[in-house]
């Protein structure tokens, strides 16, 4: 429980991924729940920050309440949760990504964006000026472009030979 507006810790908190720092991890406080439940929580307060390159973070101006600490690291699969329903005084936290063995193959980068995949040019009638140069995958109407670009058959991604920057559409689109 956080008793008043405060920072989560008077000292820097260090978050690790395996043997190294959780560089630029996104760290937050949200209502207690399962790992990753913060993504669907809409009724309570959430307080987020980003760790620095050494995995050190502070969370400031937290309202009174009961929270779990959640985290995810760009480029690392999985979510982390530290469950504490009392005054939070954090130890050194270590996130162990959910792997049982080596990765056989993966498509893209696990960073919660679709920026690395193929994003077609948008039709100008739908252009949103906020996303002309960055985050182009956020342009309205891009899903309609899929059937215009690939009218006869879907893209086929072949592991080992295909390039996800060219051969993997940024969204899974149903052909209607």
């Amino acid at each position: 429980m956080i008793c008043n507006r405060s920072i989560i810790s008077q000292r820097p908190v260090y978050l690790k991924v395996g043997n190294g720092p959780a560089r630029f991890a996104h760290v937050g406080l949200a209502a207690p729940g399962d790992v990753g439940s913060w993504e669907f929580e809409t009724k309570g307060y959430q307080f987020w920050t980003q760790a620095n390159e050494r995995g050190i973070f502070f969370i400031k101006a937290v309202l009174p309440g009961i929270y779990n600490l959640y985290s995810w690291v760009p480029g690392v699969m999985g979510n982390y949760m530290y469950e504490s329903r009392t005054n939070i005084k954090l130890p050194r936290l270590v996130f162990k990504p959910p792997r049982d063995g080596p990765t056989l193959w993966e498509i893209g980068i696990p960073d919660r964006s679709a920026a690395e995949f193929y994003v077609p040019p948008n039709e100008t009638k739908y252009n949103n000026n906020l996303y002309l140069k960055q985050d182009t995958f956020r342009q309205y109407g891009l899903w309609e472009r899929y059937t215009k670009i690939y009218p006869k058959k879907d893209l086929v991604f072949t592991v080992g030979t295909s390039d996800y920057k060219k051969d993997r559409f940024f969204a899974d689109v149903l052909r209607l």
Side-chain angles (χ1 to χ4, degrees):
M1 175 173 347
I2 306 299
C3 297
N4 57 17
R5 287 184 180 265
S6 64
I7 58 175
I8 192 170
S9 174
Q10 295 297 329
R11 61 177 171 63
V13 177
Y14 178 71
L15 183 64
K16 289 175 51 176
V17 173
N19 294 327
R23 298 175 50 132
F24 309 111
H26 296 267
V27 184
L29 295 173
D34 295 329
V35 174
S37 64
W38 61 269
E39 296 179 67
F40 308 104
E41 174 58 45
T42 60
K43 295 182 180 176
Y45 289 105
Q46 293 191 13
F47 303 92
W48 286 86
T49 191
Q50 190 168 16
N52 66 16
E53 63 188 17
R54 297 182 309 173
I56 296 172
F57 67 92
F58 289 96
I59 298 178
K60 301 178 181 179
V62 176
L63 294 175
I66 297 174
Y67 305 98
N68 282 350
L69 183 128
Y70 299 93
S71 180
W72 63 275
V73 182
V76 177
M77 286 182 52
N79 290 297
Y80 174 81
M81 180 181 77
Y82 179 78
E83 187 173 4
S84 176
R85 298 205 171 152
T86 60
N87 288 340
I88 294 179
K89 187 170 186 177
L90 296 175
R92 180 170 284 202
L93 304 172
V94 178
F95 169 56
K96 294 182 178 145
R99 304 269 177 139
D100 290 333
T103 301
L104 298 176
W105 58 271
E106 65 184 8
I107 300 174
I109 302 163
D111 64 356
R112 297 178 186 244
S113 84
E116 70 270 19
F117 299 118
Y118 173 65
V119 178
N122 197 26
E123 293 185 19
T124 55
K125 68 180 179 180
Y126 292 134
N127 275 351
N128 180 336
N129 292 332
L130 291 174
Y131 303 118
L132 288 177
K133 294 188 173 142
Q134 65 180 19
D135 293 344
T136 55
F137 61 91
R138 296 182 186 274
Q139 289 285 354
Y140 180 80
L142 286 175
W143 60 89
E144 293 178 351
R145 301 278 294 134
Y146 184 82
T147 53
K148 290 179 183 174
I149 296 170
Y150 309 104
K152 303 259 187 232
K153 60 181 185 170
D154 290 323
L155 276 173
V156 175
F157 187 91
T158 306
V159 176
T161 58
S162 294
D163 179 3
Y164 64 80
K165 294 175 185 169
K166 297 184 298 184
D167 302 326
R168 177 73 175 106
F169 202 66
F170 81 104
D172 292 321
V173 181
L174 292 175
R175 184 178 293 279
L176 300 174

PDB file of all heavy atoms in Angstrom, residues 59-77:
ATOM      1  N   ILE A  59       9.427   5.725  -9.353  1.00  0.00           N
ATOM      2  CA  ILE A  59       8.052   6.059  -9.702  1.00  0.00           C
ATOM      3  C   ILE A  59       7.617   7.128  -8.715  1.00  0.00           C
ATOM      4  O   ILE A  59       7.615   6.901  -7.504  1.00  0.00           O
ATOM      5  CB  ILE A  59       7.110   4.843  -9.646  1.00  0.00           C
ATOM      6  CG1 ILE A  59       7.566   3.793 -10.655  1.00  0.00           C
ATOM      7  CG2 ILE A  59       5.671   5.259  -9.922  1.00  0.00           C
ATOM      8  CD1 ILE A  59       6.748   2.520 -10.656  1.00  0.00           C
ATOM      9  N   LYS A  60       7.259   8.301  -9.231  1.00  0.00           N
ATOM     10  CA  LYS A  60       6.951   9.442  -8.384  1.00  0.00           C
ATOM     11  C   LYS A  60       5.455   9.738  -8.365  1.00  0.00           C
ATOM     12  O   LYS A  60       4.726   9.349  -9.258  1.00  0.00           O
ATOM     13  CB  LYS A  60       7.710  10.672  -8.878  1.00  0.00           C
ATOM     14  CG  LYS A  60       9.208  10.487  -8.883  1.00  0.00           C
ATOM     15  CD  LYS A  60       9.914  11.699  -9.428  1.00  0.00           C
ATOM     16  CE  LYS A  60      11.414  11.465  -9.429  1.00  0.00           C
ATOM     17  NZ  LYS A  60      12.130  12.605  -9.958  1.00  0.00           N
ATOM     18  N   ALA A  61       5.026  10.465  -7.339  1.00  0.00           N
ATOM     19  CA  ALA A  61       3.660  10.988  -7.212  1.00  0.00           C
ATOM     20  C   ALA A  61       2.598   9.891  -7.254  1.00  0.00           C
ATOM     21  O   ALA A  61       1.612   9.988  -7.963  1.00  0.00           O
ATOM     22  CB  ALA A  61       3.389  12.049  -8.275  1.00  0.00           C
ATOM     23  N   VAL A  62       2.795   8.844  -6.478  1.00  0.00           N
ATOM     24  CA  VAL A  62       1.860   7.721  -6.433  1.00  0.00           C
ATOM     25  C   VAL A  62       0.756   8.029  -5.427  1.00  0.00           C
ATOM     26  O   VAL A  62       1.014   8.447  -4.311  1.00  0.00           O
ATOM     27  CB  VAL A  62       2.606   6.429  -6.045  1.00  0.00           C
ATOM     28  CG1 VAL A  62       1.645   5.273  -5.900  1.00  0.00           C
ATOM     29  CG2 VAL A  62       3.678   6.109  -7.080  1.00  0.00           C
ATOM     30  N   LEU A  63      -0.485   7.809  -5.841  1.00  0.00           N
ATOM     31  CA  LEU A  63      -1.626   8.013  -4.951  1.00  0.00           C
ATOM     32  C   LEU A  63      -1.762   6.838  -3.986  1.00  0.00           C
ATOM     33  O   LEU A  63      -1.345   5.731  -4.302  1.00  0.00           O
ATOM     34  CB  LEU A  63      -2.907   8.157  -5.770  1.00  0.00           C
ATOM     35  CG  LEU A  63      -2.999   9.397  -6.652  1.00  0.00           C
ATOM     36  CD1 LEU A  63      -4.263   9.337  -7.507  1.00  0.00           C
ATOM     37  CD2 LEU A  63      -3.001  10.649  -5.811  1.00  0.00           C
ATOM     38  N   PRO A  64      -2.393   7.054  -2.823  1.00  0.00           N
ATOM     39  CA  PRO A  64      -2.608   5.943  -1.891  1.00  0.00           C
ATOM     40  C   PRO A  64      -3.395   4.818  -2.551  1.00  0.00           C
ATOM     41  O   PRO A  64      -4.297   5.064  -3.339  1.00  0.00           O
ATOM     42  CB  PRO A  64      -3.428   6.579  -0.765  1.00  0.00           C
ATOM     43  CG  PRO A  64      -3.153   8.034  -0.860  1.00  0.00           C
ATOM     44  CD  PRO A  64      -2.896   8.319  -2.312  1.00  0.00           C
ATOM     45  N   GLY A  65      -3.041   3.584  -2.250  1.00  0.00           N
ATOM     46  CA  GLY A  65      -3.745   2.450  -2.813  1.00  0.00           C
ATOM     47  C   GLY A  65      -2.928   1.188  -2.711  1.00  0.00           C
ATOM     48  O   GLY A  65      -1.811   1.193  -2.208  1.00  0.00           O
ATOM     49  N   ILE A  66      -3.491   0.110  -3.185  1.00  0.00           N
ATOM     50  CA  ILE A  66      -2.805  -1.184  -3.199  1.00  0.00           C
ATOM     51  C   ILE A  66      -2.473  -1.506  -4.647  1.00  0.00           C
ATOM     52  O   ILE A  66      -3.342  -1.472  -5.520  1.00  0.00           O
ATOM     53  CB  ILE A  66      -3.694  -2.282  -2.581  1.00  0.00           C
ATOM     54  CG1 ILE A  66      -3.964  -1.935  -1.112  1.00  0.00           C
ATOM     55  CG2 ILE A  66      -3.040  -3.644  -2.712  1.00  0.00           C
ATOM     56  CD1 ILE A  66      -4.941  -2.866  -0.439  1.00  0.00           C
ATOM     57  N   TYR A  67      -1.198  -1.816  -4.899  1.00  0.00           N
ATOM     58  CA  TYR A  67      -0.714  -2.013  -6.260  1.00  0.00           C
ATOM     59  C   TYR A  67       0.189  -3.231  -6.335  1.00  0.00           C
ATOM     60  O   TYR A  67       0.811  -3.609  -5.362  1.00  0.00           O
ATOM     61  CB  TYR A  67       0.106  -0.803  -6.727  1.00  0.00           C
ATOM     62  CG  TYR A  67      -0.600   0.506  -6.628  1.00  0.00           C
ATOM     63  CD1 TYR A  67      -0.374   1.347  -5.542  1.00  0.00           C
ATOM     64  CD2 TYR A  67      -1.477   0.920  -7.600  1.00  0.00           C
ATOM     65  CE1 TYR A  67      -1.015   2.575  -5.444  1.00  0.00           C
ATOM     66  CE2 TYR A  67      -2.121   2.135  -7.522  1.00  0.00           C
ATOM     67  CZ  TYR A  67      -1.882   2.964  -6.430  1.00  0.00           C
ATOM     68  OH  TYR A  67      -2.522   4.166  -6.335  1.00  0.00           O
ATOM     69  N   ASN A  68       0.284  -3.782  -7.530  1.00  0.00           N
ATOM     70  CA  ASN A  68       1.366  -4.683  -7.892  1.00  0.00           C
ATOM     71  C   ASN A  68       2.289  -3.902  -8.804  1.00  0.00           C
ATOM     72  O   ASN A  68       1.861  -2.965  -9.483  1.00  0.00           O
ATOM     73  CB  ASN A  68       0.864  -5.916  -8.642  1.00  0.00           C
ATOM     74  CG  ASN A  68       0.244  -6.945  -7.730  1.00  0.00           C
ATOM     75  OD1 ASN A  68       0.328  -6.855  -6.512  1.00  0.00           O
ATOM     76  ND2 ASN A  68      -0.409  -7.927  -8.325  1.00  0.00           N
ATOM     77  N   LEU A  69       3.548  -4.314  -8.842  1.00  0.00           N
ATOM     78  CA  LEU A  69       4.500  -3.696  -9.750  1.00  0.00           C
ATOM     79  C   LEU A  69       4.587  -4.580 -10.993  1.00  0.00           C
ATOM     80  O   LEU A  69       4.768  -5.788 -10.886  1.00  0.00           O
ATOM     81  CB  LEU A  69       5.872  -3.591  -9.088  1.00  0.00           C
ATOM     82  CG  LEU A  69       6.898  -2.900  -9.955  1.00  0.00           C
ATOM     83  CD1 LEU A  69       7.545  -1.780  -9.165  1.00  0.00           C
ATOM     84  CD2 LEU A  69       7.938  -3.869 -10.447  1.00  0.00           C
ATOM     85  N   TYR A  70       4.407  -3.971 -12.148  1.00  0.00           N
ATOM     86  CA  TYR A  70       4.448  -4.687 -13.426  1.00  0.00           C
ATOM     87  C   TYR A  70       5.574  -4.107 -14.276  1.00  0.00           C
ATOM     88  O   TYR A  70       5.921  -2.934 -14.142  1.00  0.00           O
ATOM     89  CB  TYR A  70       3.132  -4.528 -14.186  1.00  0.00           C
ATOM     90  CG  TYR A  70       1.937  -5.079 -13.438  1.00  0.00           C
ATOM     91  CD1 TYR A  70       1.161  -4.266 -12.626  1.00  0.00           C
ATOM     92  CD2 TYR A  70       1.590  -6.420 -13.554  1.00  0.00           C
ATOM     93  CE1 TYR A  70       0.068  -4.772 -11.944  1.00  0.00           C
ATOM     94  CE2 TYR A  70       0.491  -6.931 -12.879  1.00  0.00           C
ATOM     95  CZ  TYR A  70      -0.263  -6.099 -12.079  1.00  0.00           C
ATOM     96  OH  TYR A  70      -1.341  -6.607 -11.411  1.00  0.00           O
ATOM     97  N   SER A  71       6.106  -4.920 -15.170  1.00  0.00           N
ATOM     98  CA  SER A  71       7.162  -4.430 -16.040  1.00  0.00           C
ATOM     99  C   SER A  71       7.214  -5.257 -17.319  1.00  0.00           C
ATOM    100  O   SER A  71       6.816  -6.421 -17.338  1.00  0.00           O
ATOM    101  CB  SER A  71       8.505  -4.527 -15.314  1.00  0.00           C
ATOM    102  OG  SER A  71       9.538  -4.064 -16.145  1.00  0.00           O
ATOM    103  N   TRP A  72       7.682  -4.606 -18.362  1.00  0.00           N
ATOM    104  CA  TRP A  72       8.035  -5.313 -19.595  1.00  0.00           C
ATOM    105  C   TRP A  72       9.232  -4.604 -20.184  1.00  0.00           C
ATOM    106  O   TRP A  72       9.455  -3.415 -19.953  1.00  0.00           O
ATOM    107  CB  TRP A  72       6.871  -5.385 -20.579  1.00  0.00           C
ATOM    108  CG  TRP A  72       6.360  -4.092 -21.104  1.00  0.00           C
ATOM    109  CD1 TRP A  72       5.444  -3.265 -20.525  1.00  0.00           C
ATOM    110  CD2 TRP A  72       6.744  -3.454 -22.314  1.00  0.00           C
ATOM    111  NE1 TRP A  72       5.232  -2.165 -21.298  1.00  0.00           N
ATOM    112  CE2 TRP A  72       6.015  -2.256 -22.411  1.00  0.00           C
ATOM    113  CE3 TRP A  72       7.627  -3.778 -23.343  1.00  0.00           C
ATOM    114  CZ2 TRP A  72       6.146  -1.374 -23.482  1.00  0.00           C
ATOM    115  CZ3 TRP A  72       7.758  -2.900 -24.410  1.00  0.00           C
ATOM    116  CH2 TRP A  72       7.019  -1.726 -24.462  1.00  0.00           C
ATOM    117  N   VAL A  73      10.066  -5.367 -20.902  1.00  0.00           N
ATOM    118  CA  VAL A  73      11.332  -4.852 -21.420  1.00  0.00           C
ATOM    119  C   VAL A  73      11.298  -4.918 -22.934  1.00  0.00           C
ATOM    120  O   VAL A  73      11.046  -5.988 -23.498  1.00  0.00           O
ATOM    121  CB  VAL A  73      12.515  -5.683 -20.874  1.00  0.00           C
ATOM    122  CG1 VAL A  73      13.835  -5.125 -21.367  1.00  0.00           C
ATOM    123  CG2 VAL A  73      12.484  -5.734 -19.355  1.00  0.00           C
ATOM    124  N   PRO A  74      11.549  -3.794 -23.613  1.00  0.00           N
ATOM    125  CA  PRO A  74      11.588  -3.837 -25.080  1.00  0.00           C
ATOM    126  C   PRO A  74      12.609  -4.860 -25.577  1.00  0.00           C
ATOM    127  O   PRO A  74      13.738  -4.904 -25.096  1.00  0.00           O
ATOM    128  CB  PRO A  74      12.014  -2.412 -25.469  1.00  0.00           C
ATOM    129  CG  PRO A  74      11.601  -1.569 -24.305  1.00  0.00           C
ATOM    130  CD  PRO A  74      11.770  -2.447 -23.101  1.00  0.00           C
ATOM    131  N   GLY A  75      12.183  -5.708 -26.503  1.00  0.00           N
ATOM    132  CA  GLY A  75      13.067  -6.722 -27.069  1.00  0.00           C
ATOM    133  C   GLY A  75      13.111  -8.020 -26.288  1.00  0.00           C
ATOM    134  O   GLY A  75      13.812  -8.943 -26.676  1.00  0.00           O
ATOM    135  N   VAL A  76      12.363  -8.110 -25.173  1.00  0.00           N
ATOM    136  CA  VAL A  76      12.353  -9.325 -24.354  1.00  0.00           C
ATOM    137  C   VAL A  76      10.918  -9.832 -24.275  1.00  0.00           C
ATOM    138  O   VAL A  76      10.014  -9.065 -23.945  1.00  0.00           O
ATOM    139  CB  VAL A  76      12.894  -9.046 -22.932  1.00  0.00           C
ATOM    140  CG1 VAL A  76      12.819 -10.296 -22.069  1.00  0.00           C
ATOM    141  CG2 VAL A  76      14.316  -8.523 -22.997  1.00  0.00           C
ATOM    142  N   MET A  77      10.708 -11.108 -24.556  1.00  0.00           N
ATOM    143  CA  MET A  77       9.363 -11.667 -24.487  1.00  0.00           C
ATOM    144  C   MET A  77       8.912 -11.788 -23.038  1.00  0.00           C
ATOM    145  O   MET A  77       9.700 -12.095 -22.162  1.00  0.00           O
ATOM    146  CB  MET A  77       9.329 -13.051 -25.137  1.00  0.00           C
ATOM    147  CG  MET A  77       9.386 -12.995 -26.632  1.00  0.00           C
ATOM    148  SD  MET A  77       9.293 -14.620 -27.385  1.00  0.00           S
ATOM    149  CE  MET A  77       7.854 -15.317 -26.637  1.00  0.00           C
TER     150      MET A  77
END
